[in-house]
Amino acid sequence: MRSFRKPGLTGGMTAAFAAVSACFAFGAHAQDKTEIDFVLNWIAGGDHAPYYYAAQEGWYDEAGIDLTIQQGKGSTMAAQQTGIGKTQIGLADLGTALVAKGKGADLIAVMNIYANSPYGMYWMKSSGIGGIEDFSGHKIGNPPWDAARAMWPALAKANDVDPDSVTWVNVQPNAKLAALKSGSIDVTTSFYNIHHIFQRELGDDMGFFAWKEYGINPYGNSIIVNGEFLKDHADAVQAFVAVSQRAFAACVKEPAPCVDALVSANTGLKADNEMQNWALVVELMTDETSTTKGLGYFDEDRLKSDYELVSTYFDIEQPFDIMEAVRNDFIDTSIVVPTP
C-alpha cells in the first residue's frame, strides 16, 4: 500500500507552510507521479520527523512523488537495498554508504543530514575517567561491527593515545547503558541523537565528548540514491531533495508540528522524547557549510578527508573518486539551516 498520499491536513497550515507547499506544484500531474520507496537508516525517530511532516502536508505528492517510507534496519542495509535498486532512495551513514559503493553498490549521495559526526564516547565520572587521556587500560564496549570501533585508531592517534591500550568488549546496542552502569565496561560509544537518554540514566555522573570536538568529524546520515534510478529520474530526485530541504528548514523553525506528524504516523513514539531527539539532530545538522552554502551541501575538502578515513579503516574493494560518488547540484543553496 502506498503511504502518505496527501492525507487531510491536521490543524491547518500556516501561511509560510502554504507558500512552501505551493512552490512544489511545478508541473506535477496526478497521472505521472514517480513512485519512490525511501528506506530509513533505522526505525522512525525524531531525526526522521521532517519526512513525515512533508508527507503529511502533501509536499511530496504535490512535487509529483508517490512516496513510501520504509522502516530501516541499519545504514548497511539501507545502502545495500538502495545500491541494488530495491529501494530508489535511502538514508545511510555516509561512511557506510561509501564502503558499500566500494563493494559495487550503485549509489550516489545527494544531500547530507548530519553535517557533523554523531559519534560520541560515554563513561561514568565516578570510574575515575576524566577524558580520552584516561581511556588506556580500560574496557570499551560496543557491537563488534560498530563503525566507531573500526575508526577508534584514528580518534586515538589524533589525541596521542595508543590505539591498542584499550580492551574492546562485545556489547549489543541496547545493552550499552546497562553494561556501563554495572561496571562490566568502562566506556561506550553512541550516537549523539540519543544523548538525552544517557543524560537521563547517568545524570551528573555522565562523562561525554563528541568525536567532532576531538579531531574526527566525518559526515553522518546522508540521502543516497540508486545510480540507475538517478539517470532515469533526475527530476524526481531533484523534487525529493527540494521537498526534504524545505521540510528540514521548516522543522528547525517550528519543530512541534513535525514531531506531531512523526508520532501520528508511528505507533509507540512519545512526542516529548522525540522532541528531545530532534533538538540534538538540529545540532548535528548545523555547521558553517549548512548555514551558509546550503542545508545538505557537502564540503569537498571534508569529502576527501572522509574518503581517506574510510579507505584507511575499512575495506574499499573497488576504489573510486569520491567526487563521483557525491553530488551537490540538487541542493538549493538559498535554503540553509536556520540559526537563532
Side-chain angles (χ1 to χ4, degrees):
M1 182 178 71
R2 287 283 132 190
S3 303
F4 307 116
R5 285 190 170 181
K6 199 176 180 181
L9 301 182
T10 58
M13 294 174 63
T14 64
F17 287 155
V20 171
S21 180
C23 79
F24 295 129
F26 59 95
H29 303 288
Q31 65 269 26
D32 59 5
K33 292 188 186 300
T34 302
E35 293 186 358
I36 290 180
D37 291 319
F38 174 46
V39 62
L40 303 179
N41 60 313
W42 198 244
I43 58 174
D47 48 328
H48 306 124
Y51 310 114
Y52 285 95
Y53 179 71
Q56 173 189 275
E57 298 300 295
W59 292 1
Y60 290 111
D61 186 68
E62 291 167 357
I65 296 171
D66 185 6
L67 183 70
T68 297
I69 299 176
Q70 297 183 7
Q71 303 288 310
K73 295 182 179 178
S75 287
T76 297
M77 189 203 76
Q80 291 172 344
Q81 281 195 193
T82 304
I84 63 174
K86 184 176 180 180
T87 50
Q88 293 78 39
I89 299 181
L91 181 67
D93 173 76
L94 183 63
T96 301
L98 296 182
V99 172
K101 188 171 184 65
K103 293 181 178 179
D106 182 15
L107 58 83
I108 296 175
V110 294
M111 175 182 173
N112 78 72
I113 304 301
Y114 288 176
N116 295 298
S117 170
Y119 295 127
M121 306 297 288
Y122 293 85
W123 65 90
M124 297 176 71
K125 294 176 182 177
S126 56
S127 68
I129 296 173
I132 191 170
E133 66 279 3
D134 299 322
F135 284 5
S136 296
H138 288 91
K139 294 176 288 186
I140 304 179
N142 72 359
W145 62 82
D146 197 305
R149 184 185 295 205
M151 290 192 293
W152 158 254
L155 178 69
K157 291 174 183 177
N159 292 277
D160 298 321
V161 173
D162 179 0
D164 297 324
S165 65
V166 302
T167 300
W168 289 92
V169 178
N170 295 339
V171 176
Q172 292 298 310
N174 60 358
K176 289 179 179 180
L177 264 170
L180 197 61
K181 292 169 75 173
S182 71
S184 59
I185 61 173
D186 305 304
V187 182
T188 191
T189 63
S190 188
F191 290 138
Y192 186 65
N193 60 321
I194 60 169
H195 183 78
H196 60 292
I197 297 176
F198 277 79
Q199 285 183 311
R200 182 186 67 208
E201 294 294 320
L202 302 180
D204 292 338
D205 198 22
M206 184 187 78
F208 163 78
F209 71 77
W211 285 41
K212 67 185 180 68
E213 297 170 353
Y214 280 66
I216 305 297
N217 191 28
Y219 280 112
N221 290 346
S222 300
I223 293 175
I224 56 174
V225 181
N226 175 263
E228 195 63 31
F229 179 79
L230 179 56
K231 290 178 184 177
D232 296 336
H233 300 281
D235 288 348
V237 173
Q238 177 70 77
F240 183 90
V241 172
V243 172
S244 300
Q245 268 193 287
R246 286 161 174 78
F248 272 87
C251 292
V252 172
K253 290 181 179 179
E254 193 173 352
C258 301
V259 171
D260 287 344
L262 168 75
V263 172
S264 177
N266 294 275
T267 303
L269 297 184
K270 303 297 183 183
D272 288 348
N273 184 71
E274 303 313 323
M275 280 290 285
Q276 293 180 70
N277 181 313
W278 173 251
L280 298 171
V281 168
V282 173
E283 291 184 46
L284 292 173
M285 290 170 54
T286 306
D287 74 346
E288 182 178 358
T289 300
S290 68
T291 55
T292 58
K293 290 187 176 181
L295 192 162
Y297 192 95
F298 291 96
D299 177 81
E300 183 172 341
D301 288 339
R302 283 190 61 192
L303 285 173
K304 292 177 179 177
S305 176
D306 283 7
Y307 182 79
E308 182 178 355
L309 181 68
V310 170
S311 61
T312 298
Y313 296 102
F314 299 89
D315 184 15
I316 301 293
E317 297 176 8
Q318 304 170 31
F320 54 88
D321 182 347
I322 183 60
M323 299 314 297
E324 294 180 359
V326 178
R327 290 176 59 169
N328 275 321
D329 53 312
F330 293 113
I331 298 296
D332 182 344
T333 56
S334 71
I335 300 175
V336 298
V337 175
T339 55

